[in-house]
Each structure stands twice: as structure tokens, then as C-alpha cells.
Amino acid sequence: MTGRALKERLIARIRAHGPITVADYMAACLADPEAGYYITRDPFGKKGDFTTAPEVSQMFGELIGAFCLQAYLDLGAPGAFQLVELGPGRGTLMADLLRMASLRPEFVHAASLSLVETSPALRKIQEKTLETAPLAPAFRDRFADIPDGPLILVANEFFDALPIHQYVKTVDGWRERMVGLAADGELCFGVGTSRLDDTDLPPAARTAPEGTILETQPAANAIAEEIGARLARHGGAALIIDYGYLKTATGDTLQALYRHTHDDVLAHPGEADLTAHVNFETLARAAQEGGATPMPPLEQGEFLLRLGLLERAGALGSGKSHSVQETIRDAVERLAAPDRMGTLFKVLALSGDGRALAPFDMPIRTQQGFTHRRGGENG
Ligand code: SAH
């Protein structure tokens, strides 16, 4: 099934049953069993639509491996635990993480590896990437399917792919933004009848002008709460990395990426990647309601520098050719510079027992030495 056919199916569905929510539209575009974006393809890399941090450099997964190893040791090096990745993409982060964590063989011996992945196409690629890894993955459809035991979980650019709802400020309150049909029969945005209870909103949202958009992420928050409950019950740590914002704010962050350029959100259902920025405030609150303790989030650049990005880059480049060193320098910049992925991407760590997790317990250190380019990167 092609994306064209998905668009026609969506149009037929709306014609028959009326407009659908932005969340339903997003879910259809990304996860339709026949034509969903992730279900049908490998979207990563130069030929795909976007490049994620693990695909930029092995250093990203290695440093996350160092985080996991420390979290494991802090747990008292249990004899068995669940190592979990949500939305592993091509499996690159896990391969790099395991290479680093293998420095302590007891980590690998104790770990049962689960990959939570819905896409059959990506499961195949993940299996291949991890062929020579010290652990064989078990594939799971949902986080809820992970067996009991202490948990160490990572998720990079997973939560941004979960469906969000949008609300529009109107004369009579916040009403849900819908995808319907224009007079010419094409997909268009409109406003529905469902309303948002605004008692929880920050004051700025309450005085926002008509037409302002506000997003909610019940799907993401529900998973964060499940993770939080699991951590509280069995112990462990979770690391959630994504682009997003630290405080609830208004604004339309729904975006489509099609062959490395921004696209009209409604233009290519199933063919373009569709994401929304993650609200880390409500995500952390949901995990806390589940029973876990969220650490104050860090920006990705700060997080990677604290874990030793510059030192790792130096070691990796030592004795190598000028061009290899140049590639490593460029990767450092892409991952950590404020105008690249360094500040837009946030890192949230959750602790099961409330103890601080390294490197979240260190004072903020300022970032220096980056050149400035215009615009940021988001995948
Ligand atoms: N973490 C990877 C890939 C990010 S893309 C990286 O950094 O490169 C999002 C990933 O989440 C893909 O693997 C996609 O197939 C998966 N995914 C999206 N929605 C999902 C869902 N509801 N359940 C499980 N996996 C999902």
C-alpha cells in the first residue's frame, strides 16, 4: 500500500464518519498497519528523511552505555535486570551502548535485552545490527510486555513519534483541532466540539489570543506513568531523550519531515515523518505520579559533556588521519552545540528509589568553544 492510497483512505473515512483528531491522523500516518511511515520503511540516514543522534556518531550510544553502566552499579549490580530500549530505530544506539557496557562483563551477564518496536521493517534491521552484539534481543510490542525485574531503560526520539492532541483557543474556550475536508475535497485543519479543561494551564495560556494552539500528549504521558510505576516497584533507572520543551507552553510543534526538508503536515500521509515536540514537564509529572523520581532535566549538550564527550572524541581521534579527526569534531558539534542538537534536545532521567543519578547531580557547566550557525537541528 502506498502513501497515496493512505491519503485516499483517510479522505474516505472522514467523508463517511466526519473529521478525525490530530492524534488519530498522526497515528494513521505513523502506524497504519499497511501504510504507516515507520511500518513500511527505514527512514534514517542520508537517503531517508532524517538523521538521529546515534546515527551521527558512535560516541552518542557509547556515552549512554556509560550512563547505564553507572546506573547498574548504583543499583548494587543485580544478578538479573531488564535492559530495554523503546523505539530503537536501526539498533545503532543499542549496539554502541552494549560495546561500552561490555567493559563490565557482569552487566551483560545480568541483562535481558528487550526492544519495544512496532515496525516489522525496523525489527529486521535491528536484528541485523545486533547480530554480533553480546546479547540477543527479544522484541516486544509494548512497554507493558517487559518481564518483571529491575529496569534500565533508554528511549531516544521515541516519545516525539507518539500521537498528540491539539486544541485551538476560540471565543468559547479551547476546542480540539481536527483534520477534515476542504471544499475541494483535500485534507484541511478545522475546529471540533471537544473542549479542553483549562484549569491546569499556565496563566499565559489562559490569556492567549484566539487561534493559539496548545498541545497535549496523553499517549506519551501514559507510557511515562507506566515506566514510573515499574521503576518504583522493581527499581532501576530510565533515560528519555527527545526534542521538546521543559515547561508547558502554547504553540504548534507538529511537523512533517520529507526527504530532509520540512513538509506540509497534511500533504504526504504515511510518506513523511510526523513528530511533535515533547512536553517534558507533563512527561516528568506523569512518571512521578507512577512513583519514580525525575531528575531535573539537562540539555543534550550539557548531558554529553558531563559524560565525557570531549574526552571520548579525543581518544577516538588520537593517531587518526586529519579527515577522521575532522569528522569526529563535526559530530561533537552536531550532538552538543547549542544551535545544533545541543539545546533543543532534552534529557530526562528517572530514578526508581529517589537517589540521584549521575551525571544529573552535578552543577551546570557552561558550554564554550562552539562556533555559531543559524538554526537548530531536530533529527
Ligand atoms: N531511537 C532511534 C529511532 C527513533 S525513530 C534513533 O534514535 O535513531 C522512532 C522509533 O520508534 C522507530 O524505531 C519507530 O518504529 C518506533 N516507534 C514509533 N512508535 C512506536 C510505538 N507506538 N511503539 C513502539 N515503537 C514505536
Side-chain angles (χ1 to χ4, degrees), residues 30-31 38-39 43-44 50 52-55 60 85-90 93 116-119 122 126 140-142 155-158 160-162 223:
L30 294 179
Y38 283 115
I39 305 303
F44 307 102
F50 58 93
T52 56
E55 305 298 332
F60 185 77
E85 183 173 0
L86 306 181
R90 310 191 71 174
L93 189 162
V116 178
E117 175 60 70
T118 39
S119 159
L122 289 176
Q126 290 154 14
R140 318 274 180 200
D141 292 330
R142 301 167 308 154
N156 183 61
E157 290 207 44
F158 168 76
D160 65 66
L162 300 180
I223 296 177

